[in-house]
Amino acid sequence: MYLKTTAAALALICTAVPAFAQDFTIRLSHGDNETNPTHITAEAFAEKVDEYSDGRIEVKIFPSNQLGSEEEVVRAVRNNTIQAQIPAMANVHPVAPSTGVLLLPYLFSNSDEAHAGLDAILPAMNEKVTEEAGIRFLGILEKGFRVLTNSVRPVETMDDLQGLKIRVPPNEISIETFKSWGLEPVPMGWGEVFTALPQGVIDGQENPYTTAVTSNFYEVQDYITEVHYQIWTGPLLISERFYQGLPEDLQEAVSKAGLEAVQIGREANAEQTQQAMERLKEEGMTLSGAPKDEDAWREAARGIWPNFYSVVGGEEWVNEAMSVIDEAIAK
Ligand code: MLT
């Protein structure tokens, strides 16, 4: 009788629990649409997590800020309400001050430098952000320079910039950088930019070439200037609480998947950037390259680095981070 009951109960369990049930689910949020390299990174992460965890972890991707603004989601990741995210570093900085060191203007001169520096700083950065914000970076995506777009006039010199209403992410470094060029920028959440541009609330914004295409900004923007002040960086980050709750083999699976996924995202971005520039020209945008007086832009923005030490975790951290980054770049 006992055996019969146990067998019946087992049969019931076997039919009630699907064979493909996962042990863990990661809800991953990002703010771009499904053609952007951010989404390609998210998809690669989902595939690799599935592979390395033997299907024990499922990653569900929520693009286009469906789960909330980038700033809100970073906070939700700390609480493990959402487990993972790929936001712009600029939107992580208000929650995790030490990340600001990667936003200092004119830090990297090109993508290769950025890759070397970002990979080298990862362990030290994780010591900081796990403490500051309860988040862990699995890797850091890079999408090329944030370039300036606007609908009013070509910006070829710092004078041309004056008076334009340019949206920047709501963090102090972006705001102060634009102020160093004599402009009063408009800090605004990323999700609002999509309506603010067509409505003329702002004249322009700054984000990578690929974003100008994937977000259809060419429909409402006419001019692009390649200001080389900041390379778009964004961590593939995970809730530290969630990560610590995983068995060790699954922590390894997730970490490995994260590092490989950002590599795939970086490669996708490099490919898409050339295509994006062609497409933006075809769509009628004027690409004016770097400002003619680029040295003056660099000098003004680099000149205010010391003002930022207090908002990026202190001078000691800046020096430590810079020595790790410089050493990696020199190799
Ligand atoms: C921003 O401008 O807020 C971000 O760069 C948007 C993004 O995450 O791509």
Short mmCIF file of all heavy atoms in Angstrom, two decimals, residues 159-215:
data_model
loop_
_atom_site.label_atom_id
_atom_site.label_comp_id
_atom_site.label_asym_id
_atom_site.label_seq_id
_atom_site.Cartn_x
_atom_site.Cartn_y
_atom_site.Cartn_z
N ASP A 159 32.20 77.42 -29.99
CA ASP A 159 31.24 78.54 -30.14
C ASP A 159 29.92 78.05 -30.69
O ASP A 159 28.85 78.50 -30.28
CB ASP A 159 31.81 79.60 -31.11
CG ASP A 159 32.78 80.53 -30.40
OD1 ASP A 159 32.84 80.46 -29.16
OD2 ASP A 159 33.47 81.29 -31.11
N ASP A 160 29.99 77.10 -31.66
CA ASP A 160 28.75 76.60 -32.27
C ASP A 160 27.85 75.90 -31.25
O ASP A 160 26.65 75.75 -31.45
CB ASP A 160 29.06 75.57 -33.37
CG ASP A 160 29.84 76.18 -34.53
OD1 ASP A 160 29.68 77.38 -34.78
OD2 ASP A 160 30.60 75.43 -35.19
N LEU A 161 28.47 75.41 -30.18
CA LEU A 161 27.72 74.65 -29.18
C LEU A 161 26.83 75.54 -28.32
O LEU A 161 25.78 75.11 -27.83
CB LEU A 161 28.74 73.91 -28.29
CG LEU A 161 28.23 72.98 -27.19
CD1 LEU A 161 27.57 71.74 -27.80
CD2 LEU A 161 29.40 72.54 -26.29
N GLN A 162 27.28 76.80 -28.19
CA GLN A 162 26.64 77.68 -27.20
C GLN A 162 25.15 77.88 -27.52
O GLN A 162 24.75 78.06 -28.65
CB GLN A 162 27.36 79.04 -27.15
CG GLN A 162 28.86 78.93 -26.88
CD GLN A 162 29.21 77.98 -25.73
OE1 GLN A 162 28.62 78.07 -24.65
NE2 GLN A 162 30.12 77.06 -25.95
N GLY A 163 24.35 77.80 -26.46
CA GLY A 163 22.91 78.07 -26.58
C GLY A 163 22.08 76.86 -26.95
O GLY A 163 20.85 76.90 -26.90
N LEU A 164 22.73 75.74 -27.33
CA LEU A 164 21.94 74.55 -27.68
C LEU A 164 21.43 73.87 -26.42
O LEU A 164 22.08 73.89 -25.38
CB LEU A 164 22.80 73.56 -28.49
CG LEU A 164 23.26 74.02 -29.87
CD1 LEU A 164 24.13 72.93 -30.51
CD2 LEU A 164 22.07 74.35 -30.76
N LYS A 165 20.24 73.25 -26.55
CA LYS A 165 19.68 72.50 -25.40
C LYS A 165 20.07 71.04 -25.57
O LYS A 165 19.44 70.30 -26.33
CB LYS A 165 18.15 72.64 -25.38
CG LYS A 165 17.66 74.04 -25.00
CD LYS A 165 16.16 74.13 -25.07
CE LYS A 165 15.68 74.25 -26.51
NZ LYS A 165 14.27 74.20 -26.75
N ILE A 166 21.16 70.67 -24.91
CA ILE A 166 21.69 69.31 -25.08
C ILE A 166 21.38 68.48 -23.84
O ILE A 166 21.76 68.85 -22.72
CB ILE A 166 23.22 69.34 -25.31
CG1 ILE A 166 23.58 70.19 -26.54
CG2 ILE A 166 23.76 67.90 -25.46
CD1 ILE A 166 23.07 69.69 -27.87
N ARG A 167 20.72 67.37 -24.05
CA ARG A 167 20.43 66.45 -22.93
C ARG A 167 21.68 65.66 -22.57
O ARG A 167 22.40 65.18 -23.46
CB ARG A 167 19.30 65.49 -23.34
CG ARG A 167 19.02 64.40 -22.31
CD ARG A 167 19.83 63.13 -22.58
NE ARG A 167 19.68 62.18 -21.48
CZ ARG A 167 20.29 60.99 -21.44
NH1 ARG A 167 21.07 60.61 -22.42
NH2 ARG A 167 20.13 60.20 -20.41
N VAL A 168 21.93 65.51 -21.28
CA VAL A 168 22.99 64.60 -20.82
C VAL A 168 22.38 63.68 -19.77
O VAL A 168 21.35 64.00 -19.17
CB VAL A 168 24.19 65.37 -20.20
CG1 VAL A 168 24.90 66.20 -21.25
CG2 VAL A 168 23.78 66.22 -19.01
N PRO A 169 23.00 62.50 -19.53
CA PRO A 169 22.52 61.65 -18.44
C PRO A 169 22.61 62.42 -17.12
O PRO A 169 23.49 63.27 -16.96
CB PRO A 169 23.49 60.46 -18.44
CG PRO A 169 24.11 60.47 -19.79
CD PRO A 169 24.17 61.91 -20.21
N PRO A 170 21.70 62.12 -16.19
CA PRO A 170 21.68 62.90 -14.95
C PRO A 170 22.78 62.50 -13.98
O PRO A 170 22.52 61.97 -12.91
CB PRO A 170 20.29 62.62 -14.36
CG PRO A 170 19.84 61.36 -15.01
CD PRO A 170 20.59 61.17 -16.29
N ASN A 171 24.03 62.71 -14.37
CA ASN A 171 25.13 62.50 -13.42
C ASN A 171 26.08 63.70 -13.49
O ASN A 171 26.21 64.35 -14.54
CB ASN A 171 25.84 61.16 -13.66
CG ASN A 171 26.85 61.25 -14.75
OD1 ASN A 171 27.90 61.86 -14.60
ND2 ASN A 171 26.53 60.68 -15.88
N GLU A 172 26.73 63.95 -12.37
CA GLU A 172 27.49 65.19 -12.21
C GLU A 172 28.63 65.33 -13.21
O GLU A 172 28.96 66.43 -13.64
CB GLU A 172 28.09 65.26 -10.80
CG GLU A 172 27.04 65.57 -9.76
CD GLU A 172 27.64 65.69 -8.38
OE1 GLU A 172 28.43 66.63 -8.16
OE2 GLU A 172 27.34 64.83 -7.55
N ILE A 173 29.24 64.20 -13.60
CA ILE A 173 30.41 64.32 -14.48
C ILE A 173 29.98 64.79 -15.87
O ILE A 173 30.61 65.68 -16.45
CB ILE A 173 31.17 62.99 -14.53
CG1 ILE A 173 31.66 62.66 -13.12
CG2 ILE A 173 32.34 63.05 -15.50
CD1 ILE A 173 32.31 61.32 -12.97
N SER A 174 28.89 64.21 -16.37
CA SER A 174 28.41 64.66 -17.69
C SER A 174 28.01 66.14 -17.63
O SER A 174 28.34 66.93 -18.53
CB SER A 174 27.18 63.84 -18.12
OG SER A 174 27.47 62.48 -18.06
N ILE A 175 27.32 66.49 -16.57
CA ILE A 175 26.84 67.88 -16.44
C ILE A 175 28.04 68.86 -16.38
O ILE A 175 28.11 69.83 -17.14
CB ILE A 175 25.96 68.03 -15.17
CG1 ILE A 175 24.70 67.16 -15.30
CG2 ILE A 175 25.59 69.49 -14.93
CD1 ILE A 175 23.92 66.95 -14.00
N GLU A 176 28.99 68.54 -15.51
CA GLU A 176 30.14 69.44 -15.33
C GLU A 176 31.02 69.50 -16.58
O GLU A 176 31.62 70.52 -16.88
CB GLU A 176 30.98 69.02 -14.11
CG GLU A 176 30.28 69.22 -12.79
CD GLU A 176 29.85 70.66 -12.55
OE1 GLU A 176 30.60 71.59 -12.88
OE2 GLU A 176 28.72 70.85 -12.06
N THR A 177 31.11 68.39 -17.29
CA THR A 177 31.92 68.39 -18.52
C THR A 177 31.33 69.39 -19.52
O THR A 177 32.05 70.22 -20.10
CB THR A 177 31.97 66.98 -19.13
OG1 THR A 177 32.53 66.09 -18.18
CG2 THR A 177 32.81 66.96 -20.40
N PHE A 178 30.01 69.32 -19.71
CA PHE A 178 29.39 70.26 -20.65
C PHE A 178 29.50 71.71 -20.16
O PHE A 178 29.67 72.64 -20.95
CB PHE A 178 27.94 69.85 -20.95
CG PHE A 178 27.86 68.85 -22.07
CD1 PHE A 178 28.19 67.52 -21.85
CD2 PHE A 178 27.53 69.24 -23.36
CE1 PHE A 178 28.17 66.57 -22.89
CE2 PHE A 178 27.50 68.30 -24.41
CZ PHE A 178 27.82 66.98 -24.17
N LYS A 179 29.41 71.86 -18.84
CA LYS A 179 29.57 73.22 -18.29
C LYS A 179 30.97 73.76 -18.57
O LYS A 179 31.15 74.95 -18.79
CB LYS A 179 29.31 73.21 -16.78
CG LYS A 179 27.82 73.17 -16.44
CD LYS A 179 27.63 73.37 -14.95
CE LYS A 179 26.15 73.39 -14.61
NZ LYS A 179 25.91 73.36 -13.16
N SER A 180 31.97 72.85 -18.57
CA SER A 180 33.34 73.31 -18.82
C SER A 180 33.48 73.84 -20.25
O SER A 180 34.43 74.55 -20.57
CB SER A 180 34.36 72.19 -18.56
OG SER A 180 34.42 71.30 -19.67
N TRP A 181 32.53 73.49 -21.11
CA TRP A 181 32.53 74.00 -22.49
C TRP A 181 31.61 75.22 -22.63
O TRP A 181 31.26 75.63 -23.75
CB TRP A 181 32.08 72.90 -23.46
CG TRP A 181 33.00 71.72 -23.47
CD1 TRP A 181 34.34 71.71 -23.28
CD2 TRP A 181 32.63 70.33 -23.68
NE1 TRP A 181 34.84 70.43 -23.36
CE2 TRP A 181 33.81 69.56 -23.61
CE3 TRP A 181 31.42 69.67 -23.93
CZ2 TRP A 181 33.81 68.18 -23.77
CZ3 TRP A 181 31.42 68.29 -24.10
CH2 TRP A 181 32.61 67.56 -24.01
N GLY A 182 31.12 75.73 -21.49
CA GLY A 182 30.31 76.95 -21.51
C GLY A 182 28.83 76.72 -21.70
O GLY A 182 28.07 77.67 -21.92
N LEU A 183 28.40 75.45 -21.62
CA LEU A 183 26.98 75.16 -21.89
C LEU A 183 26.27 74.78 -20.60
O LEU A 183 26.87 74.17 -19.71
CB LEU A 183 26.91 73.98 -22.87
CG LEU A 183 25.56 73.76 -23.52
CD1 LEU A 183 25.36 74.78 -24.63
CD2 LEU A 183 25.48 72.35 -24.10
N GLU A 184 24.99 75.09 -20.51
CA GLU A 184 24.16 74.61 -19.40
C GLU A 184 23.36 73.43 -19.96
O GLU A 184 22.35 73.61 -20.64
CB GLU A 184 23.22 75.75 -18.96
CG GLU A 184 22.57 75.57 -17.59
CD GLU A 184 23.59 75.48 -16.45
OE1 GLU A 184 24.49 76.34 -16.34
OE2 GLU A 184 23.48 74.49 -15.70
N PRO A 185 23.82 72.17 -19.72
CA PRO A 185 23.13 71.04 -20.35
C PRO A 185 21.81 70.71 -19.64
O PRO A 185 21.54 71.25 -18.57
CB PRO A 185 24.13 69.89 -20.16
CG PRO A 185 24.88 70.24 -18.93
CD PRO A 185 24.93 71.74 -18.86
N VAL A 186 21.03 69.83 -20.25
CA VAL A 186 19.74 69.43 -19.67
C VAL A 186 19.85 67.99 -19.17
O VAL A 186 19.81 67.04 -19.97
CB VAL A 186 18.61 69.51 -20.75
CG1 VAL A 186 17.24 69.20 -20.14
CG2 VAL A 186 18.62 70.85 -21.47
N PRO A 187 20.00 67.76 -17.85
CA PRO A 187 20.05 66.39 -17.35
C PRO A 187 18.67 65.75 -17.46
O PRO A 187 17.68 66.36 -17.09
CB PRO A 187 20.46 66.54 -15.88
CG PRO A 187 20.61 67.99 -15.63
CD PRO A 187 20.09 68.76 -16.78
N MET A 188 18.62 64.54 -17.98
CA MET A 188 17.31 63.91 -18.23
C MET A 188 17.49 62.39 -18.28
O MET A 188 18.52 61.92 -18.77
CB MET A 188 16.80 64.41 -19.59
CG MET A 188 15.45 63.92 -20.02
SD MET A 188 15.09 64.49 -21.72
CE MET A 188 14.60 66.16 -21.45
N GLY A 189 16.53 61.64 -17.77
CA GLY A 189 16.58 60.18 -17.84
C GLY A 189 16.55 59.73 -19.30
O GLY A 189 15.93 60.39 -20.15
N TRP A 190 17.18 58.61 -19.58
CA TRP A 190 17.29 58.10 -20.95
C TRP A 190 15.92 57.85 -21.57
O TRP A 190 15.67 58.18 -22.72
CB TRP A 190 18.15 56.83 -20.92
CG TRP A 190 18.28 56.06 -22.20
CD1 TRP A 190 18.06 54.73 -22.37
CD2 TRP A 190 18.68 56.56 -23.49
NE1 TRP A 190 18.31 54.36 -23.66
CE2 TRP A 190 18.68 55.47 -24.38
CE3 TRP A 190 19.02 57.83 -23.97
CZ2 TRP A 190 19.01 55.60 -25.73
CZ3 TRP A 190 19.35 57.95 -25.32
CH2 TRP A 190 19.35 56.85 -26.17
N GLY A 191 15.01 57.28 -20.79
CA GLY A 191 13.68 56.93 -21.31
C GLY A 191 12.91 58.14 -21.83
O GLY A 191 12.06 58.02 -22.72
N GLU A 192 13.21 59.33 -21.30
CA GLU A 192 12.46 60.54 -21.71
C GLU A 192 12.96 61.14 -23.02
O GLU A 192 12.29 61.95 -23.64
CB GLU A 192 12.57 61.61 -20.61
CG GLU A 192 11.90 61.24 -19.31
CD GLU A 192 12.40 62.11 -18.16
OE1 GLU A 192 12.32 63.34 -18.27
OE2 GLU A 192 12.91 61.53 -17.18
N VAL A 193 14.19 60.73 -23.42
CA VAL A 193 14.82 61.36 -24.59
C VAL A 193 14.00 61.10 -25.86
O VAL A 193 13.89 61.96 -26.75
CB VAL A 193 16.26 60.82 -24.76
CG1 VAL A 193 16.93 61.36 -26.02
CG2 VAL A 193 17.10 61.17 -23.54
N PHE A 194 13.37 59.93 -25.92
CA PHE A 194 12.65 59.52 -27.13
C PHE A 194 11.46 60.43 -27.44
O PHE A 194 11.07 60.58 -28.59
CB PHE A 194 12.22 58.06 -27.01
CG PHE A 194 13.39 57.12 -26.87
CD1 PHE A 194 13.95 56.86 -25.63
CD2 PHE A 194 13.98 56.55 -27.99
CE1 PHE A 194 15.06 56.03 -25.50
CE2 PHE A 194 15.09 55.73 -27.87
CZ PHE A 194 15.63 55.46 -26.62
N THR A 195 10.86 61.04 -26.41
CA THR A 195 9.78 61.99 -26.67
C THR A 195 10.30 63.43 -26.66
O THR A 195 9.79 64.28 -27.39
CB THR A 195 8.64 61.85 -25.63
OG1 THR A 195 9.23 61.74 -24.33
CG2 THR A 195 7.78 60.63 -25.90
N ALA A 196 11.33 63.69 -25.84
CA ALA A 196 11.84 65.07 -25.72
C ALA A 196 12.46 65.56 -27.04
O ALA A 196 12.35 66.74 -27.38
CB ALA A 196 12.87 65.15 -24.60
N LEU A 197 13.10 64.64 -27.81
CA LEU A 197 13.72 65.07 -29.08
C LEU A 197 12.67 65.50 -30.10
O LEU A 197 12.72 66.64 -30.59
CB LEU A 197 14.61 63.96 -29.65
CG LEU A 197 16.04 63.82 -29.10
CD1 LEU A 197 16.73 62.63 -29.74
CD2 LEU A 197 16.87 65.09 -29.30
N PRO A 198 11.69 64.64 -30.45
CA PRO A 198 10.70 65.08 -31.45
C PRO A 198 9.87 66.27 -31.00
O PRO A 198 9.45 67.10 -31.81
CB PRO A 198 9.81 63.85 -31.68
CG PRO A 198 10.17 62.85 -30.65
CD PRO A 198 11.50 63.23 -30.07
N GLN A 199 9.65 66.41 -29.70
CA GLN A 199 8.84 67.53 -29.22
C GLN A 199 9.64 68.83 -29.15
O GLN A 199 9.10 69.89 -28.87
CB GLN A 199 8.28 67.23 -27.82
CG GLN A 199 7.14 66.22 -27.84
CD GLN A 199 6.74 65.76 -26.44
OE1 GLN A 199 7.33 66.18 -25.45
NE2 GLN A 199 5.74 64.90 -26.39
N GLY A 200 10.96 68.74 -29.37
CA GLY A 200 11.79 69.96 -29.35
C GLY A 200 12.09 70.46 -27.94
O GLY A 200 12.57 71.58 -27.76
N VAL A 201 11.81 69.63 -26.93
CA VAL A 201 12.15 70.02 -25.55
C VAL A 201 13.67 70.14 -25.44
O VAL A 201 14.19 70.96 -24.71
CB VAL A 201 11.63 68.94 -24.55
CG1 VAL A 201 12.02 69.26 -23.11
CG2 VAL A 201 10.12 68.79 -24.68
N ILE A 202 14.37 69.31 -26.20
CA ILE A 202 15.83 69.40 -26.29
C ILE A 202 16.21 69.47 -27.77
O ILE A 202 15.46 68.98 -28.63
CB ILE A 202 16.52 68.18 -25.63
CG1 ILE A 202 15.88 66.86 -26.09
CG2 ILE A 202 16.51 68.30 -24.12
CD1 ILE A 202 16.58 65.61 -25.59
N ASP A 203 17.38 70.06 -28.04
CA ASP A 203 17.85 70.14 -29.43
C ASP A 203 18.71 68.93 -29.78
O ASP A 203 18.88 68.61 -30.96
CB ASP A 203 18.73 71.38 -29.63
CG ASP A 203 17.99 72.67 -29.36
OD1 ASP A 203 16.80 72.75 -29.73
OD2 ASP A 203 18.60 73.58 -28.76
N GLY A 204 19.32 68.32 -28.76
CA GLY A 204 20.25 67.23 -29.07
C GLY A 204 20.57 66.38 -27.88
O GLY A 204 20.07 66.60 -26.76
N GLN A 205 21.43 65.41 -28.13
CA GLN A 205 21.84 64.46 -27.10
C GLN A 205 23.19 63.91 -27.50
O GLN A 205 23.70 64.21 -28.58
CB GLN A 205 20.78 63.35 -26.96
CG GLN A 205 20.55 62.52 -28.22
CD GLN A 205 21.53 61.36 -28.40
OE1 GLN A 205 21.74 60.57 -27.48
NE2 GLN A 205 22.12 61.25 -29.58
N GLU A 206 23.76 63.07 -26.67
CA GLU A 206 25.05 62.44 -27.01
C GLU A 206 25.01 60.98 -26.60
O GLU A 206 24.67 60.63 -25.49
CB GLU A 206 26.22 63.20 -26.38
CG GLU A 206 26.04 63.70 -24.96
CD GLU A 206 26.16 62.60 -23.95
OE1 GLU A 206 27.27 62.07 -23.76
OE2 GLU A 206 25.12 62.26 -23.34
N ASN A 207 25.29 60.14 -27.58
CA ASN A 207 25.32 58.68 -27.41
C ASN A 207 26.09 58.11 -28.61
O ASN A 207 26.36 58.84 -29.56
CB ASN A 207 23.89 58.12 -27.33
CG ASN A 207 23.50 57.78 -25.89
OD1 ASN A 207 24.10 56.91 -25.26
ND2 ASN A 207 22.50 58.47 -25.37
N PRO A 208 26.42 56.82 -28.60
CA PRO A 208 27.21 56.30 -29.73
C PRO A 208 26.48 56.36 -31.08
O PRO A 208 25.25 56.45 -31.12
CB PRO A 208 27.44 54.83 -29.33
CG PRO A 208 27.27 54.80 -27.85
CD PRO A 208 26.25 55.84 -27.53
N TYR A 209 27.26 56.25 -32.15
CA TYR A 209 26.69 56.20 -33.51
C TYR A 209 25.63 55.12 -33.61
O TYR A 209 24.58 55.30 -34.23
CB TYR A 209 27.80 55.88 -34.52
CG TYR A 209 28.67 57.06 -34.92
CD1 TYR A 209 30.02 57.08 -34.61
CD2 TYR A 209 28.14 58.13 -35.64
CE1 TYR A 209 30.83 58.15 -34.99
CE2 TYR A 209 28.94 59.20 -36.03
CZ TYR A 209 30.28 59.20 -35.70
OH TYR A 209 31.07 60.26 -36.08
N THR A 210 25.94 53.94 -33.03
CA THR A 210 24.99 52.82 -33.18
C THR A 210 23.64 53.16 -32.54
O THR A 210 22.59 52.78 -33.07
CB THR A 210 25.56 51.53 -32.55
OG1 THR A 210 26.07 51.83 -31.24
CG2 THR A 210 26.67 50.94 -33.40
N THR A 211 23.67 53.90 -31.46
CA THR A 211 22.40 54.27 -30.80
C THR A 211 21.60 55.23 -31.67
O THR A 211 20.37 55.16 -31.72
CB THR A 211 22.69 54.89 -29.41
OG1 THR A 211 23.42 53.94 -28.64
CG2 THR A 211 21.41 55.23 -28.67
N ALA A 212 22.31 56.14 -32.37
CA ALA A 212 21.60 57.09 -33.24
C ALA A 212 20.81 56.36 -34.32
O ALA A 212 19.73 56.80 -34.74
CB ALA A 212 22.60 58.06 -33.88
N VAL A 213 21.34 55.18 -34.73
CA VAL A 213 20.61 54.38 -35.73
C VAL A 213 19.53 53.55 -35.07
O VAL A 213 18.36 53.60 -35.46
CB VAL A 213 21.59 53.47 -36.52
CG1 VAL A 213 20.83 52.45 -37.37
CG2 VAL A 213 22.49 54.30 -37.41
N THR A 214 19.90 52.78 -34.05
CA THR A 214 18.92 51.84 -33.49
C THR A 214 17.76 52.57 -32.82
O THR A 214 16.68 52.02 -32.69
CB THR A 214 19.58 50.84 -32.50
OG1 THR A 214 20.16 51.56 -31.41
CG2 THR A 214 20.66 50.01 -33.17
N SER A 215 17.99 53.81 -32.40
CA SER A 215 16.90 54.58 -31.78
C SER A 215 16.22 55.53 -32.78
O SER A 215 15.43 56.38 -32.37
CB SER A 215 17.43 55.40 -30.60
OG SER A 215 17.96 54.57 -29.61
#
